[in-house]
Amino acid sequence: MEGAGLVGKRILVTGGTGLVGRAIEKVVADGEGQPDEEWIFVSSRDADLTSTTETKALFEKHKPTHVIHLAAMVGGLFRNIRYNLDFWGAGFWGSPPCRSEKSLHPQRRNILINDNVLHSAYETGVQKVVSCLSTCIFPDKTTYPIDESMIHNGPPHSSNFGYSYAKRMIDIQNRGYFEQHGCRFTAVIPTNVFGPHDNFNIEDGHVLPGLIHKVYLAKQTGSALTVWGTGKPRRQFIYSLDLARLFLWVLREYDEVEPIILSVGEEDEVSIREAAEAIVEAMDFRGELVFDTTKADGQFKKTASNAKLRRYLPSFQFTPFRQAVKETCAWFNTNYANARK
Ligand code: NAP
Ligand code: GFB
């Protein structure tokens, strides 16, 4: 979107076709962009960011003044357990010298993507980069609520150490680029995100889209809804459209290099069972709910404090959880044919 010759910011959004990228695109299209902002949403079809060459070419082509860096290999608990090594990107060092970047296993992305994007941003003089961590990267053994000061205080949960360490390196690199070159590279730390355009794949996706898809199928076959694990773990869920609005604020107003948690309050944390019940209600499912306790529970909780966010934005309104679930279910039912599943 370009104002009439008023472009002051040319904002490149990597990962622009994913859950969070699509939400940012929607809030910008719905009028929350500003006249002096040009928005460019890209995906791996525009450039494979594991390739240094393609990343450089992307930055040379668009010459962004600002970057929202979302691109990553992303998945739920069970995908992380299966591919911890790939979520880090170990193929980068263990590969034979002859291997080109292209031959990387498609999932060995995150450490490469982050390094390519941050270094290309530095080399092309990008004024500000906002990258994306996650509340699941914090130490597994910790006190609660978690806050931004705790990121490196101990090892992450075993289920997603590859992803977590790759994300933690973004924070380290942001500090390095600031101290050595004065770059304004920062990061946000969202809790579990859900919404339209999510990855609804039952094996690889996150819990809410996975359960929504399962209910959709259970209604067709008249079978029970199987919730994995005990249903006891607890999560804070943020609606993608709310996160998108917060991303716009961070891009425009947040000036710290230190990361900031973007999450609903501790009091909005729900159990997996309660989340499943919200989906059952939203999908008008009348079948049985069963819990498959042979499946992992993952982290029991990762309760994060949004006190820092509240100090900046005391009156920001989050969409109520059940309303956001209803909107996501409605989107999935309407867009089933084309949804990522
Ligand atoms: P997503 O829906 O899986 O989208 C991932 C995006 O990254 C897609 O646009 C994808 O493009 C792009 N991408 C992946 N590999 C790429 C590559 N090699 N080169 C270029 N682009 C590539 O992910 P999401 O849920 O929106 O997550 C966005 C960010 O938020 C990620 O950094 C994630 O770690 C973070 N986050 C997510 C959650 C959550 O619950 N979803 C929670 C906390 C933090 P293609 O489709 O073309 O591959
Ligand atoms: O969203 P999720 O897969 O990831 O949630 P995490 C996993 C929790 O939901 C576990 C339960 O307690 C599962 O037993 N669950 C119940 C299900 N039914 C299902 C289902 O059908 N699908 C899924 N996926 N889970 C991720 C990290 O942790 O959080 C990622 O591994 C990422 O790296 C993400 O950061 C935000 O919340 O456990």
Side-chain angles (χ1 to χ4, degrees), residues 56-340:
K56 283 178 184 287
L58 182 75
F59 276 72
E60 283 307 326
K61 176 180 176 185
H62 294 294
K63 295 185 174 40
T65 59
H66 295 68
V67 174
I68 292 181
H69 172 39
L70 305 172
M73 173 190 167
V74 180
L77 167 66
F78 300 97
R79 190 181 193 200
N80 273 273
I81 290 174
R82 283 198 298 273
Y83 301 113
N84 255 305
L85 191 60
D86 298 329
F87 269 89
W88 161 264
F92 176 47
W93 293 291
S95 54
C98 60
R99 188 167 79 172
S100 72
E101 288 156 341
K102 276 287 181 199
S103 67
L104 269 177
H105 186 288
Q107 298 176 346
R108 290 181 173 153
R109 292 176 179 170
N110 292 334
I111 205 75
L112 269 172
I113 290 171
N114 299 334
D115 193 56
N116 284 333
V117 167
L118 291 179
H119 205 64
S120 289
Y122 158 65
E123 286 182 326
T124 56
V126 169
Q127 294 170 30
K128 183 170 181 180
V129 178
V130 182
S131 296
C132 206
L133 312 185
S134 169
T135 54
C136 74
I137 73 170
F138 283 100
D140 180 40
K141 304 276 179 292
T142 180
T143 55
Y144 297 101
I146 293 165
D147 69 42
E148 291 86 352
S149 70
M150 300 177 177
I151 294 180
H152 305 284
N153 289 0
H157 191 266
S158 59
S159 61
N160 68 343
F161 66 85
Y163 175 86
S164 297
Y165 281 116
K167 287 293 186 183
R168 290 188 186 188
M169 286 304 111
I170 293 177
D171 179 46
I172 302 296
Q173 287 174 286
N174 286 350
R175 282 194 241 164
Y177 279 107
F178 176 69
E179 286 177 14
Q180 210 164 311
H181 303 296
C183 299
R184 289 166 62 220
F185 295 175
T186 190
V188 299
I189 314 178
T191 185
N192 290 52
V193 191
F194 72 100
H197 300 285
D198 206 337
N199 176 1
F200 291 85
N201 180 283
I202 288 170
E203 293 306 321
D204 286 348
H206 291 100
V207 57
L208 297 187
L211 289 177
I212 291 169
H213 190 179
K214 284 185 194 174
V215 168
Y216 185 96
L217 298 175
K219 286 181 74 171
Q220 286 185 333
T221 57
S223 51
L225 167 63
T226 301
V227 181
W228 290 334
T230 64
K232 292 183 178 141
R234 305 185 63 76
R235 296 290 182 272
Q236 290 155 292
F237 292 104
I238 185 168
Y239 192 30
S240 59
L241 297 175
D242 293 340
L243 177 61
R245 291 185 186 97
L246 291 172
F247 255 108
L248 297 190
W249 169 77
V250 169
L251 182 76
R252 296 166 181 159
E253 309 292 341
Y254 181 70
D255 277 336
E256 296 184 38
V257 170
E258 287 301 304
I260 182 168
I261 288 171
L262 302 182
S263 173
V264 296
E266 298 152 61
E267 68 283 0
D268 295 316
E269 188 181 60
V270 296
S271 71
I272 297 299
R273 172 187 284 274
E274 289 164 332
E277 287 164 353
I279 291 168
V280 163
E281 179 191 275
M283 296 287 278
D284 191 25
F285 178 64
R286 309 293 171 87
E288 195 192 354
L289 203 57
V290 297
F291 289 83
D292 177 358
T293 53
T294 66
K295 296 275 189 175
D297 268 343
Q299 286 175 275
F300 177 68
K301 59 185 258 174
K302 39 186 170 178
T303 315
S305 161
N306 71 356
K308 180 172 181 180
L309 174 63
R310 283 303 183 199
R311 285 196 294 276
Y312 278 103
L313 296 177
S315 53
F316 181 84
Q317 295 288 315
F318 290 99
T319 306
F321 176 64
R322 288 201 171 228
Q323 178 190 331
V325 167
K326 278 191 170 57
E327 290 179 15
T328 305
C329 291
W331 183 91
F332 185 70
N333 288 325
T334 308
N335 296 279
Y336 181 76
N338 302 316
R340 277 188 294 163

